[in-house]
Amino acid sequence: SKSPVFPFSVIANNTMIKKEMLLNSSDFIFSEIKDEVMIGFSDNYTNNKLVLPRTCWISLATVQLFQALGSVVLHGGFKVASWMFQFVIAYPIISTLASLIYLIVISIFRRREKMQKLADDVVEVRNLAYKEMMQNSSEHVVLHLRDGIAMDMHPKSRQGRAYIITKVWPRVVVDIRQDNRVRKTNRRFGMKPRDIWQWVAAPSPHSGEVNESIRKKKLITTK
């Protein structure tokens, strides 16, 4: 029988059913495993009488589908691996060159993606610095401005803040040093010189939030 079996003692201890009641039934089978009487459904009952809920059939079909897909993928993987191994054995020089070219291409694409992300992050951080300086036109200590932006962007990630400080911010500094809308000075705080930035130009027309704030202030003063 393909059906699972269970210790009959469990049934006997929890019900009034006796073994003699089921011996003549074609729906059950009895067997012994390690001197213990086992009971299970017969193949005839499982194939013709056992009714399963629709969810069980769906689950069984899903399991069988995944097993079939896994078998196909595994078989295909072995086929591809075998073909590649035979190709490498037959053409070692070509295989080596192809592998090197593949690694170089992958390295180039990854570097481009990394540089593109860095460029996007520089634009984002630079805009945040401009926004902060335009909203508050007083003087800003550059280190404080940097640390505040890094903390706002990555409040829970020390690694993220380190990335902003070491990789992104130096490029932002280069851009802002060439921007005449920002006044750059240097002052001593305690015994250490600090770079100071201050926005001295009119707010950028692309800064919607800043312009909206200024517009509201003008409306208040004219009333």
Side-chain angles (χ1 to χ4, degrees), residues 127 192-193:
N127 289 338
K192 296 181 179 179

Side-chain angles (χ1 to χ4, degrees), residues 1-3 27 41-51:
S1 175
K2 300 178 182 179
S3 302
D27 295 338
F41 290 120
S42 64
D43 290 339
N44 178 62
Y45 180 84
T46 303
N47 296 331
N48 301 318
K49 297 182 181 180
L50 182 62
V51 178

Side-chain angles (χ1 to χ4, degrees), residues 7 24 40 66 77 95 98 102 107 119 140 159 169 177 182 184-187 190-191 193 201 208:
N24 296 327
F66 277 108
S95 301
Y102 172 78
S107 176
H140 296 266
Q159 183 177 0
W169 188 256
R177 280 178 179 172
V182 179
K184 278 77 68 174
T185 57
N186 188 279
R187 292 185 183 179
M191 299 299 295

Side-chain angles (χ1 to χ4, degrees), residues 166-181:
T166 60
K167 300 294 185 180
V168 179
W169 188 256
R171 291 168 171 81
V172 173
V173 171
V174 172
D175 291 342
I176 295 182
R177 280 178 179 172
Q178 300 174 358
D179 193 337
N180 292 325
R181 298 172 299 177

Side-chain angles (χ1 to χ4, degrees), residues 18-26 28 30:
K18 303 297 183 183
K19 179 180 179 181
E20 292 76 13
M21 299 178 183
L22 306 176
L23 284 175
N24 296 327
S25 175
S26 60
F28 302 96
F30 287 91

Side-chain angles (χ1 to χ4, degrees), residues 66-88:
F66 277 108
Q67 287 177 343
L69 291 176
S71 177
V72 170
V73 171
L74 188 62
H75 181 71
F78 278 122
K79 281 284 188 182
V80 172
S82 176
W83 177 83
M84 291 180 64
F85 179 76
Q86 293 175 3
F87 184 84
V88 170

Side-chain angles (χ1 to χ4, degrees), residues 122-136 140 145-146 149 169 172-173 176 182 197 199:
V122 169
V123 172
E124 181 182 1
V125 173
R126 186 180 63 209
N127 289 338
L128 289 174
Y130 282 148
K131 180 180 178 180
E132 180 66 25
M133 287 189 290
M134 284 188 288
Q135 287 180 337
N136 183 1
H140 296 266
L145 182 64
R146 179 201 68 184
I149 292 174
W169 188 256
V172 173
V173 171
I176 295 182
V182 179
W197 288 348
W199 185 268

